[in-house]
Amino acid sequence: MKNDKKQNQYRVNEQIRVREVRIVGEGGSSVMPTRQALEMARHQGVDLVEISPNAQPPVCRLIDYSKFLYQQKKKAKEMKAKQVKIEVKEIRFGPQTGENDYAFKLKHAKEFLEEGNKVRAYVFFKGRSILFKEQGEVLLLRFANDLEEYGKVEQLPQLEGKKMAIFIAPKKAGVAKKSQQKMDRERREAEAREQAKQAKENTAQQEPDAEMPANGGLFANAKISADALKKLTENKED
């Protein structure tokens, strides 16, 4: 049924009943009476195939009809193969996501983006942990910043019920060469993180924060990430 429908899509030879047609080929194009075009087709042992019926006059080719259908099928197959199916991959963070778990999920996000998929990363707040939604936003922004080489933010963190999500789309294929400005920014970012880490250790020794979860959770890293992100944002504006 599909083949019959494909074959009936084009008018061929005597099915073409207009007064004149435009013949296109490797040598260019020319307008001539349809009768003359049919005679040329018979003389060359090919078919007169109408490929653009809405043109004035209609456009035709002198080609074997079976070969023409094969070429059309091949082109359609190649176009379909070039089409990339983009999927949305989800990555979930908990309120107490540790550094090891964060690094593991960051690695997967890079792979998803390299494959051409989008990433929806979200923090799920359970119970009273919703009170720390600002720290969740900091985590997601940090996540997007760490994926800067692989993707671009399509939607900034938004709270949807008990979830705060961010959307990241893949960048175009090809590895871009780092500019000097970008390398300087990364260096300043690393320095800011190191300073924030030292400040946190000094604060922890003096007065531990009872509200912060232990074991390197999300909230334990929130202040560090916030300070580093603030300095990074200021550097990007330079």
Side-chain angles (χ1 to χ4, degrees):
M1 293 295 293
K2 290 184 178 180
N3 292 334
D4 293 341
K5 185 177 180 180
K6 187 72 176 178
Q7 291 179 356
N8 294 332
Q9 183 178 350
Y10 303 95
R11 291 188 292 186
V12 186
N13 297 328
E14 284 74 16
Q15 295 176 354
I16 305 172
R17 298 178 181 178
V18 294
R19 180 175 298 179
E20 60 182 13
V21 294
R22 179 181 296 276
I23 303 298
V24 296
E26 295 180 357
S29 66
S30 59
V31 177
M32 64 181 66
T34 304
R35 182 177 297 180
Q36 180 182 348
L38 287 169
E39 291 177 357
M40 288 179 61
R42 283 192 289 267
H43 180 72
Q44 297 179 21
V46 293
D47 299 298
L48 180 66
V49 182
E50 185 182 60
I51 60 175
S52 183
N54 296 326
Q56 295 296 331
V59 179
C60 299
R61 288 184 61 188
L62 297 175
I63 188 174
D64 181 88
Y65 190 43
S66 298
K67 182 179 179 180
F68 173 76
L69 290 178
Y70 172 77
Q71 290 177 347
Q72 295 300 107
K73 183 178 180 181
K74 185 178 179 181
K75 287 181 180 179
K77 187 176 181 180
E78 290 175 351
M79 290 180 63
K80 185 177 181 181
K82 290 181 180 179
Q83 293 178 349
V84 180
K85 184 179 180 181
I86 299 178
E87 298 181 2
V88 178
K89 303 290 186 177
E90 291 195 340
I91 293 181
R92 170 175 170 167
F93 291 100
Q96 298 186 31
T97 299
E99 286 298 322
N100 291 336
D101 192 22
Y102 176 87
F104 178 77
K105 293 179 178 180
L106 180 65
K107 178 183 177 182
H108 278 287
K110 291 178 180 179
E111 294 175 353
F112 293 149
L113 292 170
E114 286 180 331
E115 293 170 358
N117 299 308
K118 293 185 178 182
V119 171
R120 177 179 180 265
Y122 66 92
V123 178
F124 181 75
F125 299 99
K126 184 178 180 180
R128 296 182 61 185
S129 64
I130 192 67
L131 298 174
F132 300 93
K133 59 183 179 181
E134 292 183 359
Q135 285 88 336
E137 182 179 7
V138 169
L139 175 68
L140 293 177
L141 290 175
R142 172 192 173 191
F143 191 65
N145 181 70
D146 290 342
L147 293 171
E148 184 181 10
E149 293 291 328
Y150 303 86
K152 55 185 178 181
V153 176
E154 273 195 344
Q155 176 185 302
L156 292 171
Q158 290 186 3
L159 187 63
E160 305 165 357
K162 294 184 178 181
K163 296 180 181 180
M164 178 173 285
I166 188 172
F167 280 87
I168 303 174
K171 286 187 175 180
K172 293 183 179 180
V175 179
K177 185 178 180 181
K178 291 185 179 181
S179 64
Q180 184 63 42
Q181 182 180 6
K182 192 164 192 176
M183 289 189 290
D184 291 341
R185 186 174 70 242
E186 291 179 350
R187 176 179 54 80
R188 291 194 295 264
E189 176 190 1
E191 292 175 353
R193 288 180 176 174
E194 183 62 26
Q195 292 174 4
K197 181 179 179 181
Q198 293 178 0
K200 175 185 173 294
E201 291 175 352
N202 293 336
T203 303
Q205 292 176 358
Q206 296 174 4
E207 184 179 356
D209 192 344
E211 295 182 357
M212 289 290 184
N215 301 325
L218 165 63
F219 306 137
N221 296 318
K223 189 176 184 300
I224 303 175
S225 301
D227 294 340
L229 182 63
K230 182 178 180 182
K231 291 189 177 183
L232 177 62
T233 304
E234 292 173 351
N235 291 330
K236 285 184 176 181
E237 294 176 352
D238 294 342

mmCIF file of all heavy atoms in Angstrom, residues 2-25:
data_model
loop_
_atom_site.group_PDB
_atom_site.id
_atom_site.type_symbol
_atom_site.label_atom_id
_atom_site.label_comp_id
_atom_site.label_asym_id
_atom_site.label_seq_id
_atom_site.Cartn_x
_atom_site.Cartn_y
_atom_site.Cartn_z
ATOM 1 N N LYS A 2 1.943 1.253 0.797
ATOM 2 C CA LYS A 2 2.808 2.423 0.863
ATOM 3 C C LYS A 2 3.500 2.667 -0.470
ATOM 4 O O LYS A 2 3.642 3.799 -0.918
ATOM 5 C CB LYS A 2 3.839 2.247 1.972
ATOM 6 C CG LYS A 2 3.248 2.311 3.371
ATOM 7 C CD LYS A 2 4.334 2.230 4.405
ATOM 8 C CE LYS A 2 3.760 2.345 5.816
ATOM 9 N NZ LYS A 2 4.817 2.255 6.845
ATOM 10 N N ASN A 3 3.936 1.596 -1.133
ATOM 11 C CA ASN A 3 4.611 1.733 -2.418
ATOM 12 C C ASN A 3 3.665 2.271 -3.475
ATOM 13 O O ASN A 3 4.027 3.099 -4.308
ATOM 14 C CB ASN A 3 5.193 0.396 -2.864
ATOM 15 C CG ASN A 3 6.358 -0.041 -1.969
ATOM 16 O OD1 ASN A 3 7.009 0.806 -1.378
ATOM 17 N ND2 ASN A 3 6.599 -1.349 -1.887
ATOM 18 N N ASP A 4 2.406 1.782 -3.453
ATOM 19 C CA ASP A 4 1.414 2.273 -4.412
ATOM 20 C C ASP A 4 1.147 3.754 -4.209
ATOM 21 O O ASP A 4 1.029 4.524 -5.168
ATOM 22 C CB ASP A 4 0.103 1.481 -4.269
ATOM 23 C CG ASP A 4 0.281 0.017 -4.696
ATOM 24 O OD1 ASP A 4 1.266 -0.264 -5.416
ATOM 25 O OD2 ASP A 4 -0.527 -0.819 -4.276
ATOM 26 N N LYS A 5 1.064 4.167 -2.950
ATOM 27 C CA LYS A 5 0.823 5.580 -2.648
ATOM 28 C C LYS A 5 1.984 6.440 -3.104
ATOM 29 O O LYS A 5 1.803 7.539 -3.634
ATOM 30 C CB LYS A 5 0.608 5.741 -1.138
ATOM 31 C CG LYS A 5 0.232 7.149 -0.725
ATOM 32 C CD LYS A 5 -0.042 7.204 0.758
ATOM 33 C CE LYS A 5 -0.414 8.630 1.175
ATOM 34 N NZ LYS A 5 -0.681 8.711 2.630
ATOM 35 N N LYS A 6 3.209 5.910 -2.953
ATOM 36 C CA LYS A 6 4.406 6.641 -3.373
ATOM 37 C C LYS A 6 4.440 6.783 -4.891
ATOM 38 O O LYS A 6 4.771 7.839 -5.429
ATOM 39 C CB LYS A 6 5.655 5.905 -2.874
ATOM 40 C CG LYS A 6 6.957 6.654 -3.096
ATOM 41 C CD LYS A 6 7.066 7.834 -2.180
ATOM 42 C CE LYS A 6 8.415 8.526 -2.323
ATOM 43 N NZ LYS A 6 8.535 9.703 -1.469
ATOM 44 N N GLN A 7 4.093 5.723 -5.585
ATOM 45 C CA GLN A 7 4.120 5.749 -7.036
ATOM 46 C C GLN A 7 3.055 6.682 -7.595
ATOM 47 O O GLN A 7 3.255 7.336 -8.614
ATOM 48 C CB GLN A 7 3.928 4.328 -7.585
ATOM 49 C CG GLN A 7 5.125 3.419 -7.309
ATOM 50 C CD GLN A 7 4.912 2.007 -7.838
ATOM 51 O OE1 GLN A 7 3.834 1.693 -8.344
ATOM 52 N NE2 GLN A 7 5.927 1.162 -7.704
ATOM 53 N N ASN A 8 1.907 6.745 -6.941
ATOM 54 C CA ASN A 8 0.821 7.612 -7.407
ATOM 55 C C ASN A 8 1.036 9.078 -7.037
ATOM 56 O O ASN A 8 0.235 9.933 -7.384
ATOM 57 C CB ASN A 8 -0.509 7.139 -6.825
ATOM 58 C CG ASN A 8 -0.907 5.762 -7.356
ATOM 59 O OD1 ASN A 8 -0.528 5.400 -8.480
ATOM 60 N ND2 ASN A 8 -1.629 4.998 -6.559
ATOM 61 N N GLN A 9 2.126 9.362 -6.338
ATOM 62 C CA GLN A 9 2.402 10.728 -5.915
ATOM 63 C C GLN A 9 2.847 11.593 -7.089
ATOM 64 O O GLN A 9 2.648 12.807 -7.078
ATOM 65 C CB GLN A 9 3.491 10.718 -4.833
ATOM 66 C CG GLN A 9 3.816 12.091 -4.265
ATOM 67 C CD GLN A 9 4.863 12.005 -3.165
ATOM 68 O OE1 GLN A 9 5.208 10.912 -2.709
ATOM 69 N NE2 GLN A 9 5.366 13.144 -2.744
ATOM 70 N N TYR A 10 3.430 10.977 -8.119
ATOM 71 C CA TYR A 10 3.946 11.722 -9.262
ATOM 72 C C TYR A 10 3.217 11.299 -10.534
ATOM 73 O O TYR A 10 2.890 10.124 -10.718
ATOM 74 C CB TYR A 10 5.447 11.453 -9.434
ATOM 75 C CG TYR A 10 6.268 11.795 -8.211
ATOM 76 C CD1 TYR A 10 6.592 10.809 -7.275
ATOM 77 C CD2 TYR A 10 6.718 13.087 -7.986
ATOM 78 C CE1 TYR A 10 7.337 11.120 -6.148
ATOM 79 C CE2 TYR A 10 7.466 13.405 -6.866
ATOM 80 C CZ TYR A 10 7.769 12.407 -5.954
ATOM 81 O OH TYR A 10 8.506 12.718 -4.847
ATOM 82 N N ARG A 11 2.999 12.275 -11.410
ATOM 83 C CA ARG A 11 2.435 11.975 -12.722
ATOM 84 C C ARG A 11 3.578 11.670 -13.684
ATOM 85 O O ARG A 11 4.606 12.335 -13.669
ATOM 86 C CB ARG A 11 1.593 13.134 -13.230
ATOM 87 C CG ARG A 11 0.298 13.321 -12.438
ATOM 88 C CD ARG A 11 -0.617 14.330 -13.046
ATOM 89 N NE ARG A 11 -0.064 15.685 -12.956
ATOM 90 C CZ ARG A 11 -0.739 16.779 -13.315
ATOM 91 N NH1 ARG A 11 -1.965 16.669 -13.808
ATOM 92 N NH2 ARG A 11 -0.177 17.962 -13.199
ATOM 93 N N VAL A 12 3.337 10.669 -14.538
ATOM 94 C CA VAL A 12 4.382 10.188 -15.434
ATOM 95 C C VAL A 12 3.848 10.082 -16.866
ATOM 96 O O VAL A 12 2.698 9.665 -17.084
ATOM 97 C CB VAL A 12 4.893 8.802 -14.978
ATOM 98 C CG1 VAL A 12 6.080 8.355 -15.825
ATOM 99 C CG2 VAL A 12 5.279 8.827 -13.513
ATOM 100 N N ASN A 13 4.686 10.483 -17.825
ATOM 101 C CA ASN A 13 4.410 10.333 -19.255
ATOM 102 C C ASN A 13 3.038 10.887 -19.641
ATOM 103 O O ASN A 13 2.768 12.075 -19.428
ATOM 104 C CB ASN A 13 4.567 8.862 -19.662
ATOM 105 C CG ASN A 13 5.999 8.378 -19.450
ATOM 106 O OD1 ASN A 13 6.956 9.137 -19.578
ATOM 107 N ND2 ASN A 13 6.147 7.091 -19.115
ATOM 108 N N GLU A 14 2.144 10.037 -20.158
ATOM 109 C CA GLU A 14 0.848 10.509 -20.657
ATOM 110 C C GLU A 14 -0.071 11.039 -19.564
ATOM 111 O O GLU A 14 -1.108 11.659 -19.872
ATOM 112 C CB GLU A 14 0.133 9.387 -21.434
ATOM 113 C CG GLU A 14 0.673 9.123 -22.825
ATOM 114 C CD GLU A 14 2.019 8.396 -22.783
ATOM 115 O OE1 GLU A 14 2.363 7.840 -21.715
ATOM 116 O OE2 GLU A 14 2.718 8.393 -23.813
ATOM 117 N N GLN A 15 0.265 10.788 -18.306
ATOM 118 C CA GLN A 15 -0.539 11.348 -17.216
ATOM 119 C C GLN A 15 -0.354 12.864 -17.110
ATOM 120 O O GLN A 15 -1.176 13.546 -16.512
ATOM 121 C CB GLN A 15 -0.142 10.695 -15.883
ATOM 122 C CG GLN A 15 -0.443 9.204 -15.799
ATOM 123 C CD GLN A 15 0.042 8.592 -14.506
ATOM 124 O OE1 GLN A 15 0.714 9.251 -13.706
ATOM 125 N NE2 GLN A 15 -0.292 7.322 -14.274
ATOM 126 N N ILE A 16 0.712 13.376 -17.709
ATOM 127 C CA ILE A 16 0.994 14.814 -17.689
ATOM 128 C C ILE A 16 0.253 15.445 -18.865
ATOM 129 O O ILE A 16 0.631 15.250 -20.027
ATOM 130 C CB ILE A 16 2.515 15.070 -17.792
ATOM 131 C CG1 ILE A 16 3.255 14.316 -16.680
ATOM 132 C CG2 ILE A 16 2.811 16.561 -17.716
ATOM 133 C CD1 ILE A 16 4.759 14.353 -16.819
ATOM 134 N N ARG A 17 -0.772 16.218 -18.595
ATOM 135 C CA ARG A 17 -1.651 16.714 -19.656
ATOM 136 C C ARG A 17 -1.660 18.236 -19.781
ATOM 137 O O ARG A 17 -2.573 18.822 -20.350
ATOM 138 C CB ARG A 17 -3.070 16.206 -19.414
ATOM 139 C CG ARG A 17 -3.159 14.680 -19.460
ATOM 140 C CD ARG A 17 -4.550 14.185 -19.173
ATOM 141 N NE ARG A 17 -4.604 12.728 -19.205
ATOM 142 C CZ ARG A 17 -5.706 12.013 -18.953
ATOM 143 N NH1 ARG A 17 -6.828 12.642 -18.611
ATOM 144 N NH2 ARG A 17 -5.662 10.688 -18.999
ATOM 145 N N VAL A 18 -0.642 18.882 -19.263
ATOM 146 C CA VAL A 18 -0.540 20.329 -19.431
ATOM 147 C C VAL A 18 0.046 20.620 -20.814
ATOM 148 O O VAL A 18 0.606 19.740 -21.476
ATOM 149 C CB VAL A 18 0.335 20.957 -18.332
ATOM 150 C CG1 VAL A 18 -0.330 20.812 -16.980
ATOM 151 C CG2 VAL A 18 1.719 20.322 -18.318
ATOM 152 N N ARG A 19 -0.068 21.877 -21.255
ATOM 153 C CA ARG A 19 0.384 22.239 -22.596
ATOM 154 C C ARG A 19 1.900 22.220 -22.705
ATOM 155 O O ARG A 19 2.447 21.765 -23.729
ATOM 156 C CB ARG A 19 -0.149 23.622 -22.965
ATOM 157 C CG ARG A 19 0.262 24.096 -24.358
ATOM 158 C CD ARG A 19 -0.394 25.408 -24.698
ATOM 159 N NE ARG A 19 -1.858 25.269 -24.718
ATOM 160 C CZ ARG A 19 -2.693 26.274 -24.974
ATOM 161 N NH1 ARG A 19 -2.218 27.495 -25.204
ATOM 162 N NH2 ARG A 19 -3.995 26.067 -24.985
ATOM 163 N N GLU A 20 2.599 22.735 -21.701
ATOM 164 C CA GLU A 20 4.055 22.784 -21.745
ATOM 165 C C GLU A 20 4.638 22.509 -20.367
ATOM 166 O O GLU A 20 3.962 22.671 -19.344
ATOM 167 C CB GLU A 20 4.543 24.138 -22.261
ATOM 168 C CG GLU A 20 4.109 25.329 -21.424
ATOM 169 C CD GLU A 20 4.574 26.653 -22.013
ATOM 170 O OE1 GLU A 20 5.007 26.668 -23.175
ATOM 171 O OE2 GLU A 20 4.492 27.677 -21.303
ATOM 172 N N VAL A 21 5.908 22.124 -20.358
ATOM 173 C CA VAL A 21 6.595 21.787 -19.107
ATOM 174 C C VAL A 21 8.002 22.370 -19.134
ATOM 175 O O VAL A 21 8.526 22.734 -20.193
ATOM 176 C CB VAL A 21 6.669 20.258 -18.896
ATOM 177 C CG1 VAL A 21 5.291 19.661 -18.688
ATOM 178 C CG2 VAL A 21 7.390 19.597 -20.062
ATOM 179 N N ARG A 22 8.604 22.440 -17.956
ATOM 180 C CA ARG A 22 10.007 22.860 -17.847
ATOM 181 C C ARG A 22 10.844 21.625 -17.536
ATOM 182 O O ARG A 22 10.627 20.968 -16.530
ATOM 183 C CB ARG A 22 10.188 23.898 -16.743
ATOM 184 C CG ARG A 22 11.656 24.360 -16.561
ATOM 185 C CD ARG A 22 11.788 25.367 -15.444
ATOM 186 N NE ARG A 22 11.066 26.590 -15.753
ATOM 187 C CZ ARG A 22 11.555 27.594 -16.480
ATOM 188 N NH1 ARG A 22 12.793 27.496 -17.001
ATOM 189 N NH2 ARG A 22 10.841 28.675 -16.703
ATOM 190 N N ILE A 23 11.780 21.328 -18.394
ATOM 191 C CA ILE A 23 12.651 20.173 -18.208
ATOM 192 C C ILE A 23 13.930 20.630 -17.506
ATOM 193 O O ILE A 23 14.598 21.560 -17.971
ATOM 194 C CB ILE A 23 13.005 19.505 -19.554
ATOM 195 C CG1 ILE A 23 11.723 19.096 -20.301
ATOM 196 C CG2 ILE A 23 13.893 18.285 -19.329
ATOM 197 C CD1 ILE A 23 10.891 18.082 -19.562
ATOM 198 N N VAL A 24 14.264 19.975 -16.391
ATOM 199 C CA VAL A 24 15.478 20.306 -15.653
ATOM 200 C C VAL A 24 16.436 19.124 -15.720
ATOM 201 O O VAL A 24 16.021 17.964 -15.748
ATOM 202 C CB VAL A 24 15.174 20.659 -14.184
ATOM 203 C CG1 VAL A 24 14.335 21.914 -14.080
ATOM 204 C CG2 VAL A 24 14.487 19.498 -13.478
ATOM 205 N N GLY A 25 17.714 19.450 -15.769
ATOM 206 C CA GLY A 25 18.741 18.417 -15.809
ATOM 207 C C GLY A 25 20.086 19.011 -15.468
ATOM 208 O O GLY A 25 20.196 20.157 -15.010
#
